Amino acid sequence: MRVLAVSIAAFVASGAATAQSGPWQSVVQTDPITDEKSVIAVTQANDYIALFIGCTNGTIYVGATTAYFDVEFGDYRTVTWRVDDNAPVSEAWENLERGGAAVYGEPGLAFARQVAQAKTRVVVQSGSNTQIFGVRRSTVEVGNVFDACGKS
């Protein structure tokens, strides 16, 4: 999880994608001891909220995090997401230590598959905060995550 937090923090701080229309980008890191690759695809919406899809140790994960204080008490929060005009999905995502939330395994893979096929938008809602993310380059960048994780 430390690699995840560092990757996201570096991307958000870089300002590489800065607005709803910012393209998806991916970051690849290789563990110097095991040579295992870790890949994360990220985009950023308004208010520095980053949406990310990644693979570490063969597990797909998805999450959203912010550059400002966004901590909810408890282990989980309800996140509702919608890709294009598909039906909304509500599920419990794990709260991240420094704000934001993530989901792992099959729920993350289902989300990632929809984002990879998205045509117009990804909407993520947590509490009263709703963010709309663009999908430009999502197919390519999320595809990089699938390749690294051996998923399709």
Side-chain angles (χ1 to χ4, degrees), residues 44-97:
Q44 193 169 318
N46 299 327
D47 301 326
Y48 301 103
I49 296 179
L51 179 63
F52 56 89
I53 298 171
C55 176
T56 300
N57 300 323
T59 299
I60 293 274
Y61 57 86
V62 171
T65 190
T66 65
Y68 62 87
F69 188 73
D70 173 38
V71 176
E72 288 193 19
F73 296 105
D75 293 334
Y76 296 91
R77 69 172 79 183
T78 299
V79 173
T80 302
W81 57 269
R82 182 178 190 198
V83 175
D84 295 335
D85 293 329
N86 298 335
V89 175
S90 292
E91 53 197 8
W93 286 21
E94 182 180 327
N95 280 321
L96 298 176
E97 186 176 310

mmCIF file of all heavy atoms in Angstrom, residues 44-97:
data_model
loop_
_atom_site.group_PDB
_atom_site.id
_atom_site.type_symbol
_atom_site.label_atom_id
_atom_site.label_comp_id
_atom_site.label_asym_id
_atom_site.label_seq_id
_atom_site.Cartn_x
_atom_site.Cartn_y
_atom_site.Cartn_z
ATOM 1 N N GLN A 44 -7.196 12.976 -13.273
ATOM 2 C CA GLN A 44 -7.514 13.934 -12.225
ATOM 3 C C GLN A 44 -8.690 14.797 -12.651
ATOM 4 O O GLN A 44 -8.765 15.239 -13.789
ATOM 5 C CB GLN A 44 -6.298 14.808 -11.956
ATOM 6 C CG GLN A 44 -6.417 15.616 -10.695
ATOM 7 C CD GLN A 44 -5.084 16.246 -10.352
ATOM 8 O OE1 GLN A 44 -4.049 15.622 -10.452
ATOM 9 N NE2 GLN A 44 -5.122 17.483 -9.948
ATOM 10 N N ALA A 45 -9.599 15.033 -11.702
ATOM 11 C CA ALA A 45 -10.755 15.900 -11.951
ATOM 12 C C ALA A 45 -10.550 17.218 -11.216
ATOM 13 O O ALA A 45 -9.454 17.537 -10.779
ATOM 14 C CB ALA A 45 -12.039 15.219 -11.483
ATOM 15 N N ASN A 46 -11.610 17.944 -11.065
ATOM 16 C CA ASN A 46 -11.562 19.209 -10.333
ATOM 17 C C ASN A 46 -11.134 18.966 -8.889
ATOM 18 O O ASN A 46 -11.273 17.877 -8.358
ATOM 19 C CB ASN A 46 -12.940 19.866 -10.352
ATOM 20 C CG ASN A 46 -13.378 20.162 -11.768
ATOM 21 O OD1 ASN A 46 -12.556 20.456 -12.628
ATOM 22 N ND2 ASN A 46 -14.664 20.077 -12.017
ATOM 23 N N ASP A 47 -10.643 19.986 -8.240
ATOM 24 C CA ASP A 47 -10.283 19.935 -6.820
ATOM 25 C C ASP A 47 -9.195 18.917 -6.503
ATOM 26 O O ASP A 47 -9.117 18.417 -5.406
ATOM 27 C CB ASP A 47 -11.509 19.650 -5.941
ATOM 28 C CG ASP A 47 -12.590 20.684 -6.108
ATOM 29 O OD1 ASP A 47 -12.252 21.867 -6.335
ATOM 30 O OD2 ASP A 47 -13.781 20.336 -6.012
ATOM 31 N N TYR A 48 -8.359 18.575 -7.486
ATOM 32 C CA TYR A 48 -7.248 17.659 -7.272
ATOM 33 C C TYR A 48 -7.678 16.268 -6.820
ATOM 34 O O TYR A 48 -6.960 15.594 -6.105
ATOM 35 C CB TYR A 48 -6.233 18.242 -6.280
ATOM 36 C CG TYR A 48 -5.672 19.541 -6.758
ATOM 37 C CD1 TYR A 48 -6.116 20.745 -6.222
ATOM 38 C CD2 TYR A 48 -4.726 19.577 -7.762
ATOM 39 C CE1 TYR A 48 -5.620 21.948 -6.685
ATOM 40 C CE2 TYR A 48 -4.227 20.777 -8.224
ATOM 41 C CZ TYR A 48 -4.681 21.949 -7.683
ATOM 42 O OH TYR A 48 -4.187 23.132 -8.133
ATOM 43 N N ILE A 49 -8.834 15.839 -7.231
ATOM 44 C CA ILE A 49 -9.292 14.492 -6.906
ATOM 45 C C ILE A 49 -8.800 13.560 -7.996
ATOM 46 O O ILE A 49 -9.105 13.736 -9.170
ATOM 47 C CB ILE A 49 -10.815 14.440 -6.754
ATOM 48 C CG1 ILE A 49 -11.217 15.308 -5.563
ATOM 49 C CG2 ILE A 49 -11.287 13.003 -6.599
ATOM 50 C CD1 ILE A 49 -12.678 15.389 -5.304
ATOM 51 N N ALA A 50 -8.014 12.573 -7.606
ATOM 52 C CA ALA A 50 -7.449 11.630 -8.559
ATOM 53 C C ALA A 50 -8.217 10.315 -8.518
ATOM 54 O O ALA A 50 -8.578 9.823 -7.451
ATOM 55 C CB ALA A 50 -5.980 11.376 -8.238
ATOM 56 N N LEU A 51 -8.468 9.770 -9.684
ATOM 57 C CA LEU A 51 -9.054 8.440 -9.828
ATOM 58 C C LEU A 51 -7.954 7.551 -10.363
ATOM 59 O O LEU A 51 -7.259 7.913 -11.317
ATOM 60 C CB LEU A 51 -10.239 8.496 -10.796
ATOM 61 C CG LEU A 51 -10.966 7.184 -11.075
ATOM 62 C CD1 LEU A 51 -11.610 6.646 -9.793
ATOM 63 C CD2 LEU A 51 -12.026 7.399 -12.143
ATOM 64 N N PHE A 52 -7.756 6.387 -9.744
ATOM 65 C CA PHE A 52 -6.653 5.530 -10.155
ATOM 66 C C PHE A 52 -7.086 4.082 -10.259
ATOM 67 O O PHE A 52 -7.996 3.631 -9.576
ATOM 68 C CB PHE A 52 -5.462 5.663 -9.195
ATOM 69 C CG PHE A 52 -5.794 5.389 -7.756
ATOM 70 C CD1 PHE A 52 -5.707 4.113 -7.237
ATOM 71 C CD2 PHE A 52 -6.181 6.424 -6.914
ATOM 72 C CE1 PHE A 52 -6.006 3.861 -5.900
ATOM 73 C CE2 PHE A 52 -6.478 6.194 -5.582
ATOM 74 C CZ PHE A 52 -6.395 4.907 -5.074
ATOM 75 N N ILE A 53 -6.428 3.381 -11.171
ATOM 76 C CA ILE A 53 -6.620 1.946 -11.367
ATOM 77 C C ILE A 53 -5.221 1.364 -11.460
ATOM 78 O O ILE A 53 -4.398 1.836 -12.249
ATOM 79 C CB ILE A 53 -7.404 1.650 -12.652
ATOM 80 C CG1 ILE A 53 -8.802 2.266 -12.574
ATOM 81 C CG2 ILE A 53 -7.469 0.146 -12.913
ATOM 82 C CD1 ILE A 53 -9.584 2.224 -13.867
ATOM 83 N N GLY A 54 -4.931 0.360 -10.639
ATOM 84 C CA GLY A 54 -3.578 -0.165 -10.630
ATOM 85 C C GLY A 54 -3.511 -1.660 -10.450
ATOM 86 O O GLY A 54 -4.518 -2.333 -10.234
ATOM 87 N N CYS A 55 -2.289 -2.164 -10.534
ATOM 88 C CA CYS A 55 -2.014 -3.578 -10.310
ATOM 89 C C CYS A 55 -0.709 -3.695 -9.535
ATOM 90 O O CYS A 55 0.317 -3.139 -9.928
ATOM 91 C CB CYS A 55 -1.886 -4.313 -11.637
ATOM 92 S SG CYS A 55 -1.430 -6.047 -11.402
ATOM 93 N N THR A 56 -0.778 -4.400 -8.437
ATOM 94 C CA THR A 56 0.404 -4.720 -7.648
ATOM 95 C C THR A 56 0.264 -6.163 -7.186
ATOM 96 O O THR A 56 -0.805 -6.569 -6.732
ATOM 97 C CB THR A 56 0.530 -3.796 -6.426
ATOM 98 O OG1 THR A 56 0.635 -2.448 -6.879
ATOM 99 C CG2 THR A 56 1.748 -4.130 -5.590
ATOM 100 N N ASN A 57 1.310 -6.929 -7.326
ATOM 101 C CA ASN A 57 1.313 -8.339 -6.912
ATOM 102 C C ASN A 57 0.158 -9.118 -7.526
ATOM 103 O O ASN A 57 -0.448 -9.967 -6.878
ATOM 104 C CB ASN A 57 1.271 -8.459 -5.389
ATOM 105 C CG ASN A 57 2.453 -7.803 -4.726
ATOM 106 O OD1 ASN A 57 3.564 -7.854 -5.247
ATOM 107 N ND2 ASN A 57 2.239 -7.158 -3.590
ATOM 108 N N GLY A 58 -0.201 -8.800 -8.775
ATOM 109 C CA GLY A 58 -1.250 -9.530 -9.478
ATOM 110 C C GLY A 58 -2.668 -9.164 -9.092
ATOM 111 O O GLY A 58 -3.609 -9.800 -9.525
ATOM 112 N N THR A 59 -2.828 -8.133 -8.259
ATOM 113 C CA THR A 59 -4.163 -7.723 -7.814
ATOM 114 C C THR A 59 -4.522 -6.359 -8.382
ATOM 115 O O THR A 59 -3.753 -5.412 -8.252
ATOM 116 C CB THR A 59 -4.224 -7.650 -6.269
ATOM 117 O OG1 THR A 59 -3.938 -8.944 -5.744
ATOM 118 C CG2 THR A 59 -5.592 -7.206 -5.786
ATOM 119 N N ILE A 60 -5.693 -6.286 -9.001
ATOM 120 C CA ILE A 60 -6.217 -5.005 -9.507
ATOM 121 C C ILE A 60 -6.814 -4.242 -8.329
ATOM 122 O O ILE A 60 -7.481 -4.820 -7.476
ATOM 123 C CB ILE A 60 -7.321 -5.245 -10.555
ATOM 124 C CG1 ILE A 60 -6.739 -5.889 -11.809
ATOM 125 C CG2 ILE A 60 -8.069 -3.966 -10.878
ATOM 126 C CD1 ILE A 60 -6.182 -4.955 -12.836
ATOM 127 N N TYR A 61 -6.577 -2.954 -8.293
ATOM 128 C CA TYR A 61 -7.224 -2.093 -7.303
ATOM 129 C C TYR A 61 -7.664 -0.813 -7.982
ATOM 130 O O TYR A 61 -7.133 -0.419 -9.017
ATOM 131 C CB TYR A 61 -6.295 -1.791 -6.117
ATOM 132 C CG TYR A 61 -4.989 -1.159 -6.508
ATOM 133 C CD1 TYR A 61 -4.882 0.227 -6.658
ATOM 134 C CD2 TYR A 61 -3.859 -1.933 -6.742
ATOM 135 C CE1 TYR A 61 -3.677 0.812 -7.020
ATOM 136 C CE2 TYR A 61 -2.655 -1.356 -7.105
ATOM 137 C CZ TYR A 61 -2.579 0.014 -7.246
ATOM 138 O OH TYR A 61 -1.398 0.594 -7.613
ATOM 139 N N VAL A 62 -8.669 -0.180 -7.401
ATOM 140 C CA VAL A 62 -9.238 1.060 -7.923
ATOM 141 C C VAL A 62 -9.469 1.969 -6.742
ATOM 142 O O VAL A 62 -9.820 1.512 -5.651
ATOM 143 C CB VAL A 62 -10.596 0.777 -8.609
ATOM 144 C CG1 VAL A 62 -11.310 2.062 -8.952
ATOM 145 C CG2 VAL A 62 -10.406 -0.074 -9.840
ATOM 146 N N GLY A 63 -9.309 3.259 -6.935
ATOM 147 C CA GLY A 63 -9.598 4.173 -5.842
ATOM 148 C C GLY A 63 -9.649 5.612 -6.284
ATOM 149 O O GLY A 63 -9.387 5.944 -7.441
ATOM 150 N N ALA A 64 -10.019 6.431 -5.340
ATOM 151 C CA ALA A 64 -10.039 7.875 -5.537
ATOM 152 C C ALA A 64 -9.415 8.500 -4.309
ATOM 153 O O ALA A 64 -9.647 8.055 -3.181
ATOM 154 C CB ALA A 64 -11.474 8.376 -5.722
ATOM 155 N N THR A 65 -8.602 9.512 -4.521
ATOM 156 C CA THR A 65 -7.963 10.196 -3.409
ATOM 157 C C THR A 65 -7.872 11.677 -3.716
ATOM 158 O O THR A 65 -8.059 12.091 -4.843
ATOM 159 C CB THR A 65 -6.565 9.616 -3.116
ATOM 160 O OG1 THR A 65 -6.084 10.148 -1.889
ATOM 161 C CG2 THR A 65 -5.591 9.910 -4.228
ATOM 162 N N THR A 66 -7.628 12.451 -2.699
ATOM 163 C CA THR A 66 -7.609 13.895 -2.866
ATOM 164 C C THR A 66 -6.348 14.484 -2.281
ATOM 165 O O THR A 66 -5.650 13.853 -1.500
ATOM 166 C CB THR A 66 -8.815 14.546 -2.154
ATOM 167 O OG1 THR A 66 -8.680 14.317 -0.753
ATOM 168 C CG2 THR A 66 -10.115 13.961 -2.632
ATOM 169 N N ALA A 67 -6.085 15.722 -2.664
ATOM 170 C CA ALA A 67 -4.933 16.439 -2.124
ATOM 171 C C ALA A 67 -5.331 17.257 -0.901
ATOM 172 O O ALA A 67 -4.527 17.947 -0.337
ATOM 173 C CB ALA A 67 -4.347 17.354 -3.194
ATOM 174 N N TYR A 68 -6.580 17.183 -0.509
ATOM 175 C CA TYR A 68 -7.033 17.895 0.677
ATOM 176 C C TYR A 68 -7.631 16.907 1.666
ATOM 177 O O TYR A 68 -7.811 15.734 1.364
ATOM 178 C CB TYR A 68 -8.032 19.005 0.322
ATOM 179 C CG TYR A 68 -9.313 18.520 -0.317
ATOM 180 C CD1 TYR A 68 -10.394 18.128 0.457
ATOM 181 C CD2 TYR A 68 -9.436 18.457 -1.697
ATOM 182 C CE1 TYR A 68 -11.558 17.667 -0.120
ATOM 183 C CE2 TYR A 68 -10.606 18.003 -2.277
ATOM 184 C CZ TYR A 68 -11.663 17.610 -1.483
ATOM 185 O OH TYR A 68 -12.812 17.149 -2.067
ATOM 186 N N PHE A 69 -7.948 17.375 2.842
ATOM 187 C CA PHE A 69 -8.421 16.521 3.927
ATOM 188 C C PHE A 69 -9.733 15.841 3.547
ATOM 189 O O PHE A 69 -10.737 16.493 3.307
ATOM 190 C CB PHE A 69 -8.614 17.377 5.187
ATOM 191 C CG PHE A 69 -8.904 16.571 6.415
ATOM 192 C CD1 PHE A 69 -7.894 15.838 7.013
ATOM 193 C CD2 PHE A 69 -10.160 16.552 6.960
ATOM 194 C CE1 PHE A 69 -8.141 15.103 8.151
ATOM 195 C CE2 PHE A 69 -10.416 15.812 8.104
ATOM 196 C CZ PHE A 69 -9.402 15.087 8.699
ATOM 197 N N ASP A 70 -9.731 14.525 3.449
ATOM 198 C CA ASP A 70 -10.912 13.759 3.081
ATOM 199 C C ASP A 70 -10.890 12.439 3.838
ATOM 200 O O ASP A 70 -10.721 11.382 3.257
ATOM 201 C CB ASP A 70 -10.925 13.505 1.570
ATOM 202 C CG ASP A 70 -12.048 12.560 1.156
ATOM 203 O OD1 ASP A 70 -13.141 12.644 1.730
ATOM 204 O OD2 ASP A 70 -11.817 11.728 0.261
ATOM 205 N N VAL A 71 -10.991 12.509 5.126
ATOM 206 C CA VAL A 71 -10.937 11.305 5.941
ATOM 207 C C VAL A 71 -12.331 11.028 6.495
ATOM 208 O O VAL A 71 -12.979 11.923 7.028
ATOM 209 C CB VAL A 71 -9.926 11.459 7.096
ATOM 210 C CG1 VAL A 71 -9.953 10.254 7.997
ATOM 211 C CG2 VAL A 71 -8.529 11.687 6.539
ATOM 212 N N GLU A 72 -12.792 9.799 6.320
ATOM 213 C CA GLU A 72 -14.045 9.373 6.920
ATOM 214 C C GLU A 72 -13.707 8.359 7.999
ATOM 215 O O GLU A 72 -12.802 7.546 7.828
ATOM 216 C CB GLU A 72 -14.977 8.759 5.878
ATOM 217 C CG GLU A 72 -15.565 9.793 4.944
ATOM 218 C CD GLU A 72 -16.713 9.231 4.122
ATOM 219 O OE1 GLU A 72 -17.285 8.197 4.503
ATOM 220 O OE2 GLU A 72 -17.029 9.847 3.105
ATOM 221 N N PHE A 73 -14.444 8.389 9.079
ATOM 222 C CA PHE A 73 -14.190 7.460 10.168
ATOM 223 C C PHE A 73 -14.744 6.090 9.817
ATOM 224 O O PHE A 73 -15.704 5.962 9.073
ATOM 225 C CB PHE A 73 -14.786 7.989 11.472
ATOM 226 C CG PHE A 73 -14.134 9.266 11.915
ATOM 227 C CD1 PHE A 73 -14.793 10.477 11.777
ATOM 228 C CD2 PHE A 73 -12.854 9.258 12.434
ATOM 229 C CE1 PHE A 73 -14.191 11.653 12.168
ATOM 230 C CE2 PHE A 73 -12.232 10.439 12.820
ATOM 231 C CZ PHE A 73 -12.905 11.632 12.688
ATOM 232 N N GLY A 74 -14.139 5.065 10.345
ATOM 233 C CA GLY A 74 -14.537 3.701 10.039
ATOM 234 C C GLY A 74 -13.626 3.118 8.972
ATOM 235 O O GLY A 74 -12.800 3.802 8.378
ATOM 236 N N ASP A 75 -13.798 1.835 8.745
ATOM 237 C CA ASP A 75 -12.944 1.141 7.789
ATOM 238 C C ASP A 75 -13.403 1.305 6.347
ATOM 239 O O ASP A 75 -12.605 1.202 5.423
ATOM 240 C CB ASP A 75 -12.881 -0.349 8.135
ATOM 241 C CG ASP A 75 -12.172 -0.599 9.454
ATOM 242 O OD1 ASP A 75 -11.331 0.234 9.845
ATOM 243 O OD2 ASP A 75 -12.460 -1.623 10.095
ATOM 244 N N TYR A 76 -14.720 1.504 6.163
ATOM 245 C CA TYR A 76 -15.275 1.550 4.817
ATOM 246 C C TYR A 76 -16.206 2.735 4.644
ATOM 247 O O TYR A 76 -16.719 3.279 5.606
ATOM 248 C CB TYR A 76 -16.060 0.259 4.512
ATOM 249 C CG TYR A 76 -15.173 -0.953 4.499
ATOM 250 C CD1 TYR A 76 -14.958 -1.696 5.658
ATOM 251 C CD2 TYR A 76 -14.536 -1.361 3.336
ATOM 252 C CE1 TYR A 76 -14.124 -2.816 5.651
ATOM 253 C CE2 TYR A 76 -13.697 -2.461 3.318
ATOM 254 C CZ TYR A 76 -13.513 -3.187 4.479
ATOM 255 O OH TYR A 76 -12.679 -4.273 4.465
ATOM 256 N N ARG A 77 -16.429 3.104 3.378
ATOM 257 C CA ARG A 77 -17.422 4.112 3.023
ATOM 258 C C ARG A 77 -18.163 3.606 1.784
ATOM 259 O O ARG A 77 -17.632 2.798 1.017
ATOM 260 C CB ARG A 77 -16.779 5.460 2.740
ATOM 261 C CG ARG A 77 -15.963 5.471 1.476
ATOM 262 C CD ARG A 77 -15.479 6.845 1.089
ATOM 263 N NE ARG A 77 -14.322 7.206 1.901
ATOM 264 C CZ ARG A 77 -13.711 8.367 1.827
ATOM 265 N NH1 ARG A 77 -14.135 9.286 1.008
ATOM 266 N NH2 ARG A 77 -12.672 8.628 2.571
ATOM 267 N N THR A 78 -19.356 4.106 1.589
ATOM 268 C CA THR A 78 -20.110 3.748 0.397
ATOM 269 C C THR A 78 -19.705 4.671 -0.745
ATOM 270 O O THR A 78 -19.730 5.892 -0.608
ATOM 271 C CB THR A 78 -21.632 3.860 0.639
ATOM 272 O OG1 THR A 78 -21.975 2.948 1.679
ATOM 273 C CG2 THR A 78 -22.409 3.522 -0.619
ATOM 274 N N VAL A 79 -19.317 4.071 -1.842
ATOM 275 C CA VAL A 79 -18.958 4.800 -3.048
ATOM 276 C C VAL A 79 -19.915 4.342 -4.149
ATOM 277 O O VAL A 79 -20.142 3.149 -4.322
ATOM 278 C CB VAL A 79 -17.500 4.534 -3.465
ATOM 279 C CG1 VAL A 79 -17.189 5.154 -4.819
ATOM 280 C CG2 VAL A 79 -16.543 5.050 -2.402
ATOM 281 N N THR A 80 -20.483 5.304 -4.852
ATOM 282 C CA THR A 80 -21.334 5.000 -5.996
ATOM 283 C C THR A 80 -20.614 5.483 -7.242
ATOM 284 O O THR A 80 -20.109 6.599 -7.267
ATOM 285 C CB THR A 80 -22.706 5.689 -5.866
ATOM 286 O OG1 THR A 80 -23.321 5.239 -4.644
ATOM 287 C CG2 THR A 80 -23.610 5.350 -7.047
ATOM 288 N N TRP A 81 -20.560 4.627 -8.249
ATOM 289 C CA TRP A 81 -19.880 4.996 -9.482
ATOM 290 C C TRP A 81 -20.731 4.631 -10.682
ATOM 291 O O TRP A 81 -21.566 3.745 -10.616
ATOM 292 C CB TRP A 81 -18.490 4.386 -9.570
ATOM 293 C CG TRP A 81 -18.412 2.896 -9.461
ATOM 294 C CD1 TRP A 81 -18.244 2.165 -8.320
ATOM 295 C CD2 TRP A 81 -18.466 1.939 -10.527
ATOM 296 N NE1 TRP A 81 -18.201 0.831 -8.607
ATOM 297 C CE2 TRP A 81 -18.330 0.662 -9.954
ATOM 298 C CE3 TRP A 81 -18.613 2.034 -11.903
ATOM 299 C CZ2 TRP A 81 -18.338 -0.514 -10.720
ATOM 300 C CZ3 TRP A 81 -18.626 0.880 -12.667
ATOM 301 C CH2 TRP A 81 -18.489 -0.378 -12.073
ATOM 302 N N ARG A 82 -20.480 5.352 -11.767
ATOM 303 C CA ARG A 82 -21.230 5.131 -12.996
ATOM 304 C C ARG A 82 -20.317 5.450 -14.176
ATOM 305 O O ARG A 82 -19.637 6.472 -14.186
ATOM 306 C CB ARG A 82 -22.455 6.039 -13.023
ATOM 307 C CG ARG A 82 -23.319 5.848 -14.232
ATOM 308 C CD ARG A 82 -24.528 6.750 -14.164
ATOM 309 N NE ARG A 82 -25.462 6.388 -15.215
ATOM 310 C CZ ARG A 82 -26.423 7.168 -15.638
ATOM 311 N NH1 ARG A 82 -26.606 8.369 -15.089
ATOM 312 N NH2 ARG A 82 -27.234 6.776 -16.597
ATOM 313 N N VAL A 83 -20.316 4.583 -15.155
ATOM 314 C CA VAL A 83 -19.536 4.797 -16.369
ATOM 315 C C VAL A 83 -20.516 5.014 -17.521
ATOM 316 O O VAL A 83 -21.434 4.209 -17.712
ATOM 317 C CB VAL A 83 -18.610 3.600 -16.654
ATOM 318 C CG1 VAL A 83 -17.887 3.772 -17.975
ATOM 319 C CG2 VAL A 83 -17.606 3.422 -15.510
ATOM 320 N N ASP A 84 -20.322 6.107 -18.254
ATOM 321 C CA ASP A 84 -21.205 6.485 -19.361
ATOM 322 C C ASP A 84 -22.655 6.495 -18.877
ATOM 323 O O ASP A 84 -22.941 7.106 -17.862
ATOM 324 C CB ASP A 84 -21.001 5.569 -20.568
ATOM 325 C CG ASP A 84 -19.611 5.698 -21.185
ATOM 326 O OD1 ASP A 84 -18.990 6.766 -21.029
ATOM 327 O OD2 ASP A 84 -19.148 4.731 -21.811
ATOM 328 N N ASP A 85 -23.531 5.807 -19.598
ATOM 329 C CA ASP A 85 -24.940 5.744 -19.210
ATOM 330 C C ASP A 85 -25.307 4.420 -18.564
ATOM 331 O O ASP A 85 -26.489 4.074 -18.458
ATOM 332 C CB ASP A 85 -25.829 5.989 -20.445
ATOM 333 C CG ASP A 85 -25.690 7.410 -20.966
ATOM 334 O OD1 ASP A 85 -25.446 8.320 -20.148
ATOM 335 O OD2 ASP A 85 -25.805 7.605 -22.192
ATOM 336 N N ASN A 86 -24.317 3.650 -18.138
ATOM 337 C CA ASN A 86 -24.570 2.379 -17.465
ATOM 338 C C ASN A 86 -25.238 2.628 -16.118
ATOM 339 O O ASN A 86 -25.187 3.728 -15.573
ATOM 340 C CB ASN A 86 -23.268 1.610 -17.257
ATOM 341 C CG ASN A 86 -22.595 1.243 -18.561
ATOM 342 O OD1 ASN A 86 -23.243 1.139 -19.601
ATOM 343 N ND2 ASN A 86 -21.290 1.063 -18.528
ATOM 344 N N ALA A 87 -25.832 1.596 -15.571
ATOM 345 C CA ALA A 87 -26.482 1.704 -14.260
ATOM 346 C C ALA A 87 -25.444 2.024 -13.184
ATOM 347 O O ALA A 87 -24.323 1.498 -13.221
ATOM 348 C CB ALA A 87 -27.201 0.401 -13.919
ATOM 349 N N PRO A 88 -25.795 2.879 -12.226
ATOM 350 C CA PRO A 88 -24.879 3.166 -11.117
ATOM 351 C C PRO A 88 -24.640 1.917 -10.256
ATOM 352 O O PRO A 88 -25.522 1.075 -10.117
ATOM 353 C CB PRO A 88 -25.619 4.231 -10.302
ATOM 354 C CG PRO A 88 -26.666 4.767 -11.213
ATOM 355 C CD PRO A 88 -27.018 3.668 -12.157
ATOM 356 N N VAL A 89 -23.441 1.835 -9.696
ATOM 357 C CA VAL A 89 -23.063 0.738 -8.814
ATOM 358 C C VAL A 89 -22.670 1.345 -7.476
ATOM 359 O O VAL A 89 -21.832 2.246 -7.432
ATOM 360 C CB VAL A 89 -21.870 -0.060 -9.393
ATOM 361 C CG1 VAL A 89 -21.410 -1.127 -8.417
ATOM 362 C CG2 VAL A 89 -22.226 -0.655 -10.750
ATOM 363 N N SER A 90 -23.269 0.857 -6.384
ATOM 364 C CA SER A 90 -22.883 1.302 -5.037
ATOM 365 C C SER A 90 -22.235 0.140 -4.323
ATOM 366 O O SER A 90 -22.757 -0.986 -4.337
ATOM 367 C CB SER A 90 -24.109 1.770 -4.241
ATOM 368 O OG SER A 90 -24.620 2.949 -4.783
ATOM 369 N N GLU A 91 -21.083 0.412 -3.707
ATOM 370 C CA GLU A 91 -20.376 -0.646 -2.993
ATOM 371 C C GLU A 91 -19.507 -0.046 -1.893
ATOM 372 O O GLU A 91 -19.243 1.157 -1.883
ATOM 373 C CB GLU A 91 -19.535 -1.495 -3.955
ATOM 374 C CG GLU A 91 -18.599 -0.722 -4.823
ATOM 375 C CD GLU A 91 -18.087 -1.529 -6.022
ATOM 376 O OE1 GLU A 91 -18.565 -2.649 -6.270
ATOM 377 O OE2 GLU A 91 -17.209 -1.005 -6.715
ATOM 378 N N ALA A 92 -19.079 -0.899 -0.989
ATOM 379 C CA ALA A 92 -18.214 -0.457 0.107
ATOM 380 C C ALA A 92 -16.770 -0.449 -0.375
ATOM 381 O O ALA A 92 -16.280 -1.456 -0.888
ATOM 382 C CB ALA A 92 -18.364 -1.392 1.303
ATOM 383 N N TRP A 93 -16.116 0.715 -0.241
ATOM 384 C CA TRP A 93 -14.696 0.845 -0.554
ATOM 385 C C TRP A 93 -13.956 1.093 0.755
ATOM 386 O O TRP A 93 -14.449 1.773 1.654
ATOM 387 C CB TRP A 93 -14.456 2.004 -1.510
ATOM 388 C CG TRP A 93 -14.866 1.754 -2.931
ATOM 389 C CD1 TRP A 93 -15.753 0.821 -3.386
ATOM 390 C CD2 TRP A 93 -14.404 2.469 -4.077
ATOM 391 N NE1 TRP A 93 -15.873 0.915 -4.747
ATOM 392 C CE2 TRP A 93 -15.058 1.917 -5.202
ATOM 393 C CE3 TRP A 93 -13.513 3.514 -4.262
ATOM 394 C CZ2 TRP A 93 -14.843 2.381 -6.481
ATOM 395 C CZ3 TRP A 93 -13.292 3.982 -5.548
ATOM 396 C CH2 TRP A 93 -13.947 3.413 -6.654
ATOM 397 N N GLU A 94 -12.760 0.570 0.848
ATOM 398 C CA GLU A 94 -11.929 0.726 2.039
ATOM 399 C C GLU A 94 -11.400 2.154 2.131
ATOM 400 O O GLU A 94 -10.912 2.714 1.146
ATOM 401 C CB GLU A 94 -10.760 -0.249 1.959
ATOM 402 C CG GLU A 94 -9.851 -0.223 3.153
ATOM 403 C CD GLU A 94 -8.721 -1.224 3.005
ATOM 404 O OE1 GLU A 94 -8.934 -2.290 2.402
ATOM 405 O OE2 GLU A 94 -7.617 -0.915 3.485
ATOM 406 N N ASN A 95 -11.528 2.752 3.310
ATOM 407 C CA ASN A 95 -10.959 4.086 3.517
ATOM 408 C C ASN A 95 -9.443 4.008 3.495
ATOM 409 O O ASN A 95 -8.852 3.095 4.066
ATOM 410 C CB ASN A 95 -11.415 4.666 4.861
ATOM 411 C CG ASN A 95 -12.798 5.244 4.785
ATOM 412 O OD1 ASN A 95 -13.167 5.864 3.800
ATOM 413 N ND2 ASN A 95 -13.589 5.029 5.828
ATOM 414 N N LEU A 96 -8.827 4.950 2.811
ATOM 415 C CA LEU A 96 -7.370 5.031 2.787
ATOM 416 C C LEU A 96 -6.896 5.885 3.955
ATOM 417 O O LEU A 96 -7.566 6.833 4.354
ATOM 418 C CB LEU A 96 -6.890 5.628 1.462
ATOM 419 C CG LEU A 96 -7.248 4.818 0.219
ATOM 420 C CD1 LEU A 96 -6.814 5.557 -1.040
ATOM 421 C CD2 LEU A 96 -6.612 3.441 0.275
ATOM 422 N N GLU A 97 -5.744 5.576 4.460
ATOM 423 C CA GLU A 97 -5.218 6.229 5.653
ATOM 424 C C GLU A 97 -5.120 7.744 5.527
ATOM 425 O O GLU A 97 -5.402 8.478 6.460
ATOM 426 C CB GLU A 97 -3.832 5.652 5.972
ATOM 427 C CG GLU A 97 -3.250 6.146 7.269
ATOM 428 C CD GLU A 97 -1.939 5.461 7.567
ATOM 429 O OE1 GLU A 97 -1.879 4.222 7.514
ATOM 430 O OE2 GLU A 97 -0.964 6.173 7.833
#
